[in-house]
Amino acid sequence: MKKRRLITRSIILVILLGALGYTLYSNFFMSKEKVKVGSAAPDFVLTDLEGKKHQFSDYRGKGVFLNFWATWCKPCEREMPYIERQYQHYKNLGVEVLAVNVGESKLVVEKFAEKYGLNFPIVIDKNQQVLHAYDVDPLPTTFLIDKNGKVVKIITAQMTEREVRDYMEMIKP
């Protein structure tokens, strides 16, 4: 009995040490380049509320207003109606909005989208992999991406409706 317990504990210890080693290796030795103005926007695939997959690289040729947000974020909540109104105008001019919710449940996000009448694509980053790939902090954060997939500007604060319009105008192809 004691031998079995010792073997089990040893296996658990080896697994924990392996996980710790991998974490240290990935954080210190794998190069993670921060997304900045002028760099290429990292590609990703996320699913929207209707179950449709959105691959970022499919938006090449259009300006992309990539907004990271959450329902509990009050500044995010205040700017959503502005983004929706401007999207209605700029979607026919080659600007796409892609709103990335950071890990909330589909039901919560659907209720939020319904409450504000949001019609642009909303995708959920369940494991926050895209959030980390773009090194997003704080919320809301918006990346303005041109038709070639280059980051033109990064906004890390709540926007006014006029700012949203000006930013969409900036990335219009």
Side-chain angles (χ1 to χ4, degrees):
M1 187 70 163
K2 285 186 178 184
K3 190 173 185 177
R4 183 180 286 165
R5 198 174 318 144
L6 178 65
I7 291 171
T8 304
R9 288 179 180 169
S10 297
I11 291 171
I12 291 171
L13 182 60
V14 167
I15 291 171
L16 288 173
L17 287 173
L20 178 63
Y22 175 76
T23 301
L24 290 173
Y25 172 77
S26 64
N27 282 330
F28 293 112
F29 298 109
M30 293 176 74
S31 66
K32 180 185 172 196
E33 202 168 301
K34 185 174 179 164
V35 177
K36 57 185 184 266
V37 172
S39 67
D43 197 16
F44 61 85
V45 178
L46 290 174
T47 306
D48 69 16
L49 300 176
E50 286 79 45
K52 179 183 174 202
K53 293 203 180 292
H54 292 262
Q55 182 156 2
F56 181 75
S57 57
D58 291 344
Y59 289 90
R60 186 68 49 115
K62 296 183 176 191
V64 179
F65 192 90
L66 182 64
N67 180 260
F68 289 85
W69 68 285
T71 61
W72 48 263
C73 164
K74 291 301 177 190
C76 303
E77 185 175 3
R78 287 189 290 269
E79 72 184 10
M80 281 296 172
Y82 308 150
I83 295 170
E84 174 62 31
R85 280 193 293 274
Q86 294 307 313
Y87 171 69
Q88 291 307 317
H89 175 73
Y90 281 94
K91 69 181 179 179
N92 297 323
L93 300 173
V95 175
E96 287 292 334
V97 170
L98 194 55
V100 180
N101 177 273
V102 292
E104 295 182 279
S105 75
K106 183 179 175 187
L107 181 63
V108 169
V109 176
E110 283 176 333
K111 286 186 179 215
F112 183 92
E114 188 176 299
K115 176 181 177 181
Y116 290 99
L118 305 178
N119 294 301
F120 46 78
I122 298 174
V123 295
I124 299 176
D125 187 13
K126 291 179 185 171
N127 301 319
Q128 299 184 352
Q129 290 176 325
V130 178
L131 178 85
H132 295 305
Y134 278 78
D135 199 24
V136 172
D137 186 44
L139 291 179
T141 293
T142 302
F143 291 81
L144 303 180
I145 302 162
D146 70 12
K147 65 182 180 177
N148 301 313
K150 298 282 185 206
V151 177
V152 175
K153 187 168 182 68
I154 303 169
I155 301 102
T156 57
Q158 177 185 332
M159 297 172 279
T160 65
E161 187 159 6
R162 181 182 183 123
E163 289 171 327
V164 171
R165 184 195 70 219
D166 291 347
Y167 293 146
M168 288 189 182
E169 188 67 34
M170 183 186 297
I171 58 173
K172 184 174 71 172

